[in-house]
Amino acid sequence: MNRLRHSIVLSALIAIGLVFQASAATHVPPGNRNEAQPPIPRGSAVRTNANKTTYDRKFEKVRTLLETDRRLQQKIKSTAKAYGVDPIHIVGAIVGEHTYNVDAYDHLQTYYVKAVSYLKSSFTFSHNGELVHDFISRPEFSACEDLNGSYAVWSCREQVWNQKFRGKSVGGTGYPDERFSAVFFQPFYAGQTFGIGQLNPLTALQLTDTVNKVSGYPKLSHTDPQGVYKAIMDPDVSLAYVAATLKHAIQAYRRIAGFDISSNPGVTATLYNLGDPEMRARKLASENAERKRRGEPQKLPEENYYGWLVNDRMDELQQLVARF
């Protein structure tokens, strides 16, 4: 009886703690913290100029796709509901990617056609002939195998890469000073992303457990690169991964940094663009702890150039979403 009572009391205390944590999160208001748009990376400008277009034209193209494709609208709306996020966050991520990354296709059907084409392609997740499966079987990655869930496992592997291999020579082999995803998971060229959400294959592998649980899509595997690429090109599956990525960022900032960013699509779009929201949340939490020690006001999450555009065009995007 005492053990049962102890368990009940402990559960109640945990519940109270969670409620307190949720209520204690600082609300991040809508809008940009920066008056002017932060600098746009040179690579984005080079891609845009090479295609003889402009950011405004690319924005209009993706806005037109979202405005005219009723099937896409319904998919965004239903996916947002399944993952418990406002559709504006998904729209913001899509708009940002297709404004600063690649042009949107004119029709949703084109994404389905491209998805099928990857099943017929021959490529591997590898670097200089070494498959990623063999690479992560090295003893340096052994601690990652004891973790639960695809996000924890792949995030651990990414950290091991950054700490022990990135830009270093190991066993007589030199490794590039590049992101894990760019070295092993983008076989066509570094920085390549795909689909309506312009997803990174490593991001999809990280969140495959969540998408499997919420949407029921089969889990992805690094041993089946064609399956990974098909998933991130297929709009149905890809949108689930977009929503899962955004939801994870919102949860990470609440849990780690104590901020509720669910009302600021520019911030969630920024995190979608940059990736690794947990690391960024920890960095912000650490900075704010130091600011508090010095008696300074806390720093709110800020948008980058990509998120700044989303917030700057928010009235227009909200009107678009209202018609879904």
Side-chain angles (χ1 to χ4, degrees), residues 87-158:
I88 191 64
H89 294 290
I90 297 178
V91 168
I94 292 173
V95 165
E97 285 295 335
H98 287 87
T99 299
Y100 295 111
N101 195 343
V102 299
D103 277 323
Y105 290 125
D106 293 320
H107 304 287
L108 187 64
Q109 185 61 32
T110 308
Y111 289 101
Y112 289 104
V113 174
K114 289 285 186 180
V116 173
S117 71
Y118 280 102
L119 288 177
K120 303 174 183 177
S121 302
S122 178
F123 58 89
T124 60
F125 287 153
S126 60
H127 173 66
N128 285 345
E130 183 177 17
L131 294 173
V132 72
H133 177 75
D134 296 329
F135 182 70
I136 61 176
S137 297
R138 295 180 179 216
E140 289 91 340
F141 295 91
S142 59
C144 301
E145 302 307 316
D146 297 329
L147 301 177
N148 293 319
S150 58
Y151 192 90
V153 169
W154 281 108
S155 295
C156 174
R157 289 167 176 167
E158 188 173 25

Side-chain angles (χ1 to χ4, degrees), residues 17-28 246-263 267-268 271 277-278 280-282 284-285 301:
L18 291 174
V19 170
F20 175 76
Q21 182 183 35
S23 63
T26 300
H27 178 254
V28 178
L246 293 163
K247 182 70 171 181
H248 180 79
I250 292 171
Q251 291 175 330
Y253 263 65
R254 176 180 286 273
R255 184 181 74 252
I256 299 170
F259 286 108
D260 177 5
I261 60 175
S262 62
S263 296
V267 171
T268 58
L271 295 170
E278 295 196 353
R280 299 180 194 284
R282 285 193 295 270
L284 181 59

Side-chain angles (χ1 to χ4, degrees), residues 220-275:
L220 304 178
S221 171
H222 62 283
T223 61
D224 179 20
Q226 286 75 20
V228 173
Y229 270 65
K230 180 182 181 298
I232 61 180
M233 281 297 299
D234 183 319
D236 296 326
V237 185
S238 181
L239 283 173
Y241 278 96
V242 173
T245 302
L246 293 163
K247 182 70 171 181
H248 180 79
I250 292 171
Q251 291 175 330
Y253 263 65
R254 176 180 286 273
R255 184 181 74 252
I256 299 170
F259 286 108
D260 177 5
I261 60 175
S262 62
S263 296
N264 194 308
V267 171
T268 58
T270 294
L271 295 170
Y272 186 87
N273 173 240
L274 296 175

Side-chain angles (χ1 to χ4, degrees), residues 29-45:
N32 288 316
R33 306 285 80 84
N34 296 289
E35 292 187 9
Q37 185 176 29
I40 300 171
R42 181 176 178 276
S44 177

Side-chain angles (χ1 to χ4, degrees), residues 8-65:
I8 293 172
V9 171
L10 181 60
S11 297
L13 289 174
I14 292 173
I16 292 170
L18 291 174
V19 170
F20 175 76
Q21 182 183 35
S23 63
T26 300
H27 178 254
V28 178
N32 288 316
R33 306 285 80 84
N34 296 289
E35 292 187 9
Q37 185 176 29
I40 300 171
R42 181 176 178 276
S44 177
V46 169
R47 285 192 299 271
T48 301
N49 291 333
N51 291 324
K52 297 180 180 179
T53 186
T54 66
Y55 296 128
D56 285 339
R57 288 178 194 163
K58 292 167 75 174
F59 175 87
E60 290 303 321
K61 189 172 183 180
V62 66
R63 186 188 61 77
T64 298
L65 174 65

